[in-house]
Amino acid sequence: MFGIMSNPWLFLNKDLLMHAKRLCALAAISWLLPLIAITTPATLSVYSHANQVESMLKVPFLNFSDTTGWATYEGWGSVSGVGPEISRLFTSVYTSNAFAPLTPPFPNASYDLEFWGPSYKCSSLEEFIERNNSRTWSLSDYNYTSVEQAFYGEVGSWVSPGNSSLTGREYVYNAVSATPLNHTIFIGASGYNTLWNRTSQNARLVCQLYNASYDITVGFDDGTPFIRENGVKNIELQDWDSIRGVRALAFSNNGTCAPDPESNNATICLTYHVFHTVFRDFLAGSIFINSVGDIAYDDGDTVRSIGATPLFHSGLMDCPEIVNSTVLYSGAGADTSVLKTFNRCRNQTLASAIEDLSRNFTYSLMTYRNWEDVTTQAPVMVTSPMNFFSYNERYLLAAYLTAVSLTLVCMTVGLVALMDNGFTGSTAFSAVLLTTRNPDLDSLAENSHRGEKPLPKAIGNTRLQFGIVGTGETGPHAGFGLEGTVSPFGERPHTTI
């Protein structure tokens, strides 16, 4: 009975459970109350929430007046070709079919940018000539009387609507830089694209370079960059003579973008001219079936295998206007599987794919090594996970109420016992000494005064009771006694003579 508060195995004692139910109940409560200390923290929940903080930081930007590394030059500062670093950057863009990845200021961040930059707009020939089919060039320089005539004269009559006759080369694709129109590329393809509501062969495109206003959001998701276009508007057609672009370095202050009086005060940028040169060299050329039935590419200077051409390394080759060409399936024997690039034609049309490529190249210029110092201040929204803590009020209240209720029960039982017994007790040595003084116990302990273990069976099997013990010599008093010699408190005690 005394050890039940330190040894829970005593709850398995049948006699104790049968004859000291109240004691066992109080002991069980005392054992269980500390568990409340475990339940209380269990009501605490921890959850992660994205916390956003805005900071003004330097971010990459663009400066098209900075011509460093953009071009190679010959005499008098005339542009002779595209700079190696620009060519390398463009190659990474068209082969990856995406913009060059930017360095994140933080793993999860985003910021908005607005700027002016080059962008191509590609229209169908029919849409273009509805807007403007008038001649803007001298017949002595270019012997075509309209844009439509110039298109078919440069690209070929094979691409005209419904034309299926192939008297010369069997063209899959043919693109030329339109001499009479500044910064313009004519493109013809013998395939069809149902997204353009075309059910027959031959696609005709006119792509022109514009100065566009960009409104974008640059973001990073766990370090992976993305760009969301909030608005890209083609504002100003770059309708200035390419000769002015070739010699822009001499015409302006170190190639700075500036109005040119010789071009009706149009703003001329050497960087825009090189931008067009990059796309002209990339797009211009023809894909055709040669005399032995193979697919070949002609860039105007040499005829070579299609696998060695930049255009073939891009996703444009997978656009329906090219891969759906009837020339490829006319029984010429060409291996058409080499044209498949696994659905990499962005936006599913050749026109949209070229526009998308031009914008991705513009975005990639923010990683241009010679513009590493070109930055701007922008409010960057940084998102980071933060731990928040909250208690389950219902469970927390239930735990505390349970503890308080059980404590009150124990106090009530103790108060009732105090009122019934008329005194308080303890397990102190003095209390044990005083409650074990009677001749019966002295007789029981004879020859076992050292308290050694194990106890003799005669002593261990003896049942004791606690209550009023009455003797002829000392009178009744509270204490332990042998079974049958103890009376409950409040009753007449047993007496021995």
Side-chain angles (χ1 to χ4, degrees), residues 325-346:
S325 170
T326 55
V327 173
L328 295 174
Y329 306 97
S330 61
D335 182 8
T336 58
S337 64
V338 299
L339 292 177
K340 278 291 183 182
T341 55
F342 306 101
N343 198 29
R344 293 178 61 217
C345 179
R346 291 175 65 93

Side-chain angles (χ1 to χ4, degrees), residues 356-473:
D356 185 78
L357 178 62
S358 70
R359 294 194 295 272
N360 277 339
F361 185 41
T362 297
Y363 303 143
S364 300
L365 290 171
M366 287 188 280
T367 69
Y368 179 45
R369 291 185 179 180
N370 288 318
W371 285 359
E372 287 181 344
D373 295 331
V374 179
T375 60
T376 186
Q377 289 280 345
V380 178
M381 187 66 69
V382 180
T383 304
S384 58
M386 180 174 289
N387 289 336
F388 292 85
F389 302 87
S390 67
Y391 277 98
N392 187 311
E393 296 178 357
R394 180 182 301 175
Y395 293 150
L396 182 63
L397 184 61
Y400 280 122
L401 287 177
T402 300
V404 171
S405 300
L406 292 177
T407 302
L408 291 176
V409 168
C410 292
M411 293 175 64
T412 302
V413 172
L415 182 61
V416 171
L418 176 62
M419 295 175 65
D420 287 346
N421 299 331
F423 64 93
T424 62
S426 70
T427 58
F429 175 75
S430 59
V432 174
L433 176 67
L434 296 174
T435 57
T436 55
R437 300 297 90 199
N438 72 64
D440 292 338
L441 296 184
D442 290 341
S443 176
L444 179 66
E446 187 175 357
N447 300 324
S448 297
H449 297 294
R450 292 182 299 177
E452 66 271 14
K453 289 189 176 182
L455 288 173
K457 285 188 177 181
I459 297 177
N461 294 331
T462 301
R463 294 172 179 257
L464 299 179
Q465 292 180 319
F466 184 74
I468 301 298
V469 179
T471 64
E473 298 178 358

Side-chain angles (χ1 to χ4, degrees), residues 289-347:
I289 306 298
N290 62 19
S291 58
V292 295
D294 193 13
I295 306 174
Y297 179 82
D298 186 355
D299 62 4
D301 295 324
T302 58
V303 176
R304 48 184 166 162
S305 168
I306 191 173
T309 64
L311 186 64
F312 180 77
H313 301 158
S314 73
L316 301 186
M317 292 301 297
D318 207 29
C319 291
E321 292 85 345
I322 296 177
V323 296
N324 288 341
S325 170
T326 55
V327 173
L328 295 174
Y329 306 97
S330 61
D335 182 8
T336 58
S337 64
V338 299
L339 292 177
K340 278 291 183 182
T341 55
F342 306 101
N343 198 29
R344 293 178 61 217
C345 179
R346 291 175 65 93
N347 301 320

